[in-house]
Amino acid sequence: MEYILIFIAAVFVNNIVLSQFLGICPFLGVSKKVETAAGMGAAVTFVLTIATIVTFLIQKYVLDPFGLGYMQTISFILVIASLVQMVEIMLKKVSPALYQALGVFLPLITTNCAILGVAIVVIQKDFNLLQSVVYAISTAIGFALAMVIFAGIRERLSLTLIPEGVKGTPIALITAGILAMAFMGFSGIV
C-alpha cells in the first residue's frame, strides 16, 4: 500500500512539472508534438530511474560513510551527465529519428533540474532503495504524462484560430497554467 501511495502522489498529486515546477525547460520546449514529448518522457524515465539508483548508492555507500555529504550535488551532477551521454549514444544507434527529433533537448536532460531534484529528494525523504526506485519511476511517469497531455493540447491549439498576440509562448504558458490547476484537483487523494 505504501508504494501505491508513493506512485499516486508522485504522478498526480505532486507532479514534478505541474506542482513542483521542476523540468520546465523540456516541458515547454519539446512539447509541440506528441511523438517528441513521448520520446523525451521515455528518455527522462530511463535517465531518472538509473540516476536515482546510482546516486542513492553513491550517497549511502560512499558519501555518508566517509563524511563527504558536501559533495552530494557535484557527484550527482557528474552521474547524471554520464548517464545522459550514454542515452544519447544509444538513441543515436537505436532510433536516429527520435534522436533528431529531440535535437538540442536531449543534452539538456543533463541540466534538467527534475532529475537532480528527484535524486536529492529521495535522500532528504530518507527513502530506502525500493521506495526510491518507485518514486523515481512514478515521478518520471508523471513527467511524461504531463508532457504528452500538454503536447496533445498544443497540437490541437495549432489547428485553432488564436489571436495574434497570444500565439506561441503566451498560449503555451496559459495552457500550462490551466493544466497545473487541473492537476491540483488530485491534491485531496493522498
Side-chain angles (χ1 to χ4, degrees):
M1 186 67 175
E2 175 186 0
Y3 298 109
I4 294 170
L5 290 176
I6 290 173
F7 178 82
I8 291 171
V11 173
F12 299 110
V13 179
N14 297 320
N15 187 288
I16 195 85
V17 177
L18 301 173
S19 293
Q20 299 178 19
F21 307 113
L22 295 174
I24 296 291
C25 181
F27 178 71
L28 293 174
V30 187
S31 61
K32 292 181 182 170
K33 293 183 180 178
V34 173
E35 300 82 25
T36 310
M40 182 63 146
V44 167
T45 301
F46 177 75
V47 171
L48 186 59
T49 305
I50 301 300
T52 300
I53 293 169
V54 173
T55 56
F56 178 87
L57 295 173
I58 288 173
Q59 181 73 36
K60 295 298 178 187
Y61 296 108
V62 177
L63 299 179
D64 286 348
F66 295 109
L68 299 172
Y70 60 91
M71 296 290 291
Q72 180 187 56
T73 304
I74 192 70
S75 61
F76 286 11
I77 289 171
L78 290 173
V79 167
I80 292 166
S82 302
L83 289 170
V84 169
Q85 289 300 313
M86 184 177 71
V87 169
E88 191 171 1
I89 291 168
M90 286 175 24
L91 271 181
K92 193 183 280 188
K93 290 186 181 207
V94 173
S95 179
L98 180 59
Y99 176 76
Q100 290 292 348
L102 291 175
V104 71
F105 292 101
L106 188 59
L108 284 179
I109 294 175
T110 304
T111 59
N112 187 345
C113 55
I115 296 173
L116 180 61
V118 169
I120 292 173
V121 164
V122 298
I123 302 301
Q124 289 176 344
K125 289 188 176 189
D126 202 27
F127 284 160
N128 62 35
L129 184 58
L130 186 56
Q131 289 171 327
S132 299
V133 171
V134 169
Y135 182 76
I137 292 170
S138 303
T139 301
I141 289 170
F143 179 84
L145 177 69
M147 287 223 4
V148 169
I149 290 172
F150 189 57
I153 294 170
R154 286 183 78 176
E155 280 185 359
R156 295 289 298 242
L157 282 173
S158 69
L159 302 174
T160 61
L161 193 58
I162 298 172
E164 201 60 40
V166 188
K167 282 186 178 176
T169 304
I171 194 69
L173 292 174
I174 291 167
T175 305
I178 293 170
L179 188 59
M181 287 189 323
F183 268 69
M184 282 177 56
F186 294 114
S187 63
I189 293 176
V190 177

